[in-house]
Amino acid sequence: MESLCVNCEEQGKTTMLLTKIPFFKEVIVVSFRCEECGYRNSEVTFGGKIAPNGLHIEFEVRSTDDYRREIVKSEFATVSIPEVGLEIPKGKGQISTVEGIVQKVIDDLETSQEDRRQVDPQTAAQIDEYLVKLRRVAEGQDFPFHFIIDDPAGNSFVQNPNFPKEDPQIRAKNYPRTRQQLEDMGFQPDNAIRQSEIEADAAKDGQINGAEETKKEEKVEENAQKEPIQQVGAHRLDFTKPLEDNPQAETMQFEVPCHACGEPGFTRMCNISVPYFKDLIIMAFSCDKCGAHNSEIKTGGEVSKLARRITLKAENAHDLKRDCFKSESAHLSIPELGLELAEGTLGGVYTTIEGLLEKIEENLKEKNPFVGDSDPVTRARLEKFFSDITDMREVRKPFTLIIDDPLDNSFIQNPWHPEPDPRVETFTYERTKEQNDELGFSDMKVDNY
């Protein structure tokens, strides 16, 4: 389509393309070009929904290869490099590299520098001095440095060349959005809450006429007839189903703001007891306004005195049907795949061994948007990796599953209980100082408190 050029004010051409990055999300690529002056511009907008939580990524750039890693930066993300005092505010979405983002900052600062020297020599001199620092970074003279992305939309990524293994140079964590971040992204939680309060007050005062009540009842019945949204966090665990089957389950429900849109949603929580293990606390959140939902599973009771490592040698279909719980504090590895998942990956998951493999595959594909665009050698390696997972799930290839939990909050079902499990080895050990530091135990004051 034709559009006005911001550089020469002549007519240029804008091209829009809706596409999908493999194993990532839908994106809208917008490109502008002016034939008169040669000015061109492009940006990336995300066409899908925002992620359930915000995302903070710290990437340590150590070499030229790291400098050329691909980056997905959403329009709501901010970028910073603390070593040179660089902070890039939210703006256009980009699919670029670390080098490309730094070079764009240099190009933007160099724009109109000559005019600035005539009008404001002092500011121009400061910019020239700062450009020297940026050029050293751009030329690879100041390794290592930290490239930090903070994205309240949760739609930014840094390429992991070690996929499917964890990247030791990348630290990523999710966080709940603040009200201000929701408003900055265009949501209006206050208005939504006020509207809900108005409707509630009107219903109490009888100000909603019978026709509207009938219409609402019909809508509720219509929604009830539809297939319920499956609120699944732990694989194949449907939190929309009642828990009355468990006589010890006591379900609580309370209202909390939605992490995605800020409107009121409901968290349902219950405590269940797993035979020969511990009590588990299941928490499921759902928002009727935007459809967002998530769930968490945590262990109850006291902290175990020892850590535990569980090793399962899976050889047949019965092994894949075993129940298992991997807590959020557990480290998981499968030596045959060269796979290691750090603590916190997948969160708390109550499922089967087969379901755990599926969850791992889904998570690895979702968290690595550049899988489909890899070079032929890497792509072949990844195809073999996912093929091996499929073989394991279909019992064509035996494998070893190791769950190392410093809190001893994980388990694998023993179908021979109370007899020893011939395919499972367990090993308890004292937590290391590093593990205690990571868990916060070293700083806890429990005596005379």
Side-chain angles (χ1 to χ4, degrees), residues 312-326:
L312 167 68
K313 298 184 181 299
E315 300 175 355
N316 55 47
H318 296 291
D319 292 333
L320 295 182
K321 294 177 181 178
R322 295 183 187 222
D323 286 345
C324 70
F325 175 66
K326 187 205 80 68

Side-chain angles (χ1 to χ4, degrees), residues 233-434:
H235 186 76
R236 293 178 178 171
L237 192 57
D238 187 355
F239 292 106
T240 61
K241 294 182 179 179
L243 293 166
E244 286 80 3
D245 294 339
N246 187 342
Q248 296 181 350
E250 295 182 2
T251 305
M252 293 183 292
Q253 177 174 298
F254 47 92
E255 188 176 283
V256 294
C258 176
H259 57 266
C261 68
E263 299 186 16
F266 289 96
T267 291
R268 296 170 179 84
M269 182 173 70
C270 77
N271 185 291
I272 63 173
S273 179
V274 179
Y276 314 115
F277 182 52
K278 298 181 178 181
D279 287 347
L280 295 182
I281 301 171
I282 302 175
M283 295 177 287
F285 171 83
S286 63
C287 176
D288 294 334
K289 298 290 184 180
C290 68
H293 57 275
N294 63 22
S295 60
E296 294 181 74
I297 304 179
K298 298 181 179 294
T299 54
E302 64 180 5
V303 176
S304 301
K305 295 181 179 180
L306 298 174
R308 184 181 298 270
R309 183 183 301 114
I310 307 172
T311 303
L312 167 68
K313 298 184 181 299
E315 300 175 355
N316 55 47
H318 296 291
D319 292 333
L320 295 182
K321 294 177 181 178
R322 295 183 187 222
D323 286 345
C324 70
F325 175 66
K326 187 205 80 68
S327 77
E328 58 186 6
S329 61
H331 176 279
L332 184 148
S333 62
I334 301 178
E336 290 82 356
L337 293 174
L339 172 69
E340 293 189 6
L341 298 183
E343 297 81 355
T345 307
L346 301 180
V349 180
Y350 190 105
T351 179
T352 61
I353 300 299
E354 180 184 8
L356 185 61
L357 291 176
E358 291 182 12
K359 194 74 174 177
I360 291 172
E361 182 176 5
E362 292 171 4
N363 181 266
L364 291 175
K365 288 181 177 179
E366 179 183 349
K367 298 298 183 184
N368 291 273
F370 302 109
V371 169
D373 296 332
S374 304
D375 61 86
V377 176
T378 303
R379 186 161 56 246
R381 175 168 55 86
L382 297 178
E383 288 175 354
K384 183 180 185 305
F385 175 85
F386 289 119
S387 175
D388 288 343
I389 288 186
T390 301
D391 289 342
M392 291 175 180
R393 282 168 36 205
E394 296 179 358
V395 205
R396 292 196 294 262
K397 182 175 182 179
F399 63 94
T400 305
L401 175 67
I402 303 173
I403 300 178
D404 192 343
D405 194 339
L407 293 178
D408 190 14
N409 283 340
S410 301
F411 85 97
I412 295 177
Q413 178 190 13
N414 177 8
W416 287 275
H417 188 86
E419 298 298 325
D421 193 326
R423 291 197 179 90
V424 172
E425 296 179 2
T426 60
F427 173 71
T428 56
Y429 61 93
E430 293 278 351
R431 280 186 289 268
T432 64
K433 182 180 183 303
E434 291 75 14

Side-chain angles (χ1 to χ4, degrees), residues 63-128:
S63 65
T64 304
D65 290 336
D66 296 336
Y67 199 51
R68 293 169 182 165
R69 291 201 198 185
E70 293 183 88
I71 304 291
V72 176
K73 171 189 165 301
S74 82
E75 63 266 37
F76 301 112
T78 60
V79 174
S80 62
I81 301 178
E83 285 80 357
V84 293
L86 174 64
E87 292 187 6
I88 306 174
K90 65 177 183 177
K92 296 185 299 183
Q94 292 178 270
I95 299 178
S96 184
T97 61
V98 177
E99 180 182 12
I101 290 176
V102 173
Q103 188 59 50
K104 189 176 187 309
V105 173
I106 294 174
D107 294 341
D108 291 343
L109 290 175
E110 288 179 338
T111 302
S112 305
Q113 254 306 72
E114 293 299 329
D115 295 337
R116 196 178 290 115
R117 290 190 181 94
Q118 301 296 326
V119 178
D120 190 350
Q122 183 177 359
T123 300
Q126 292 175 346
I127 292 177
D128 285 335

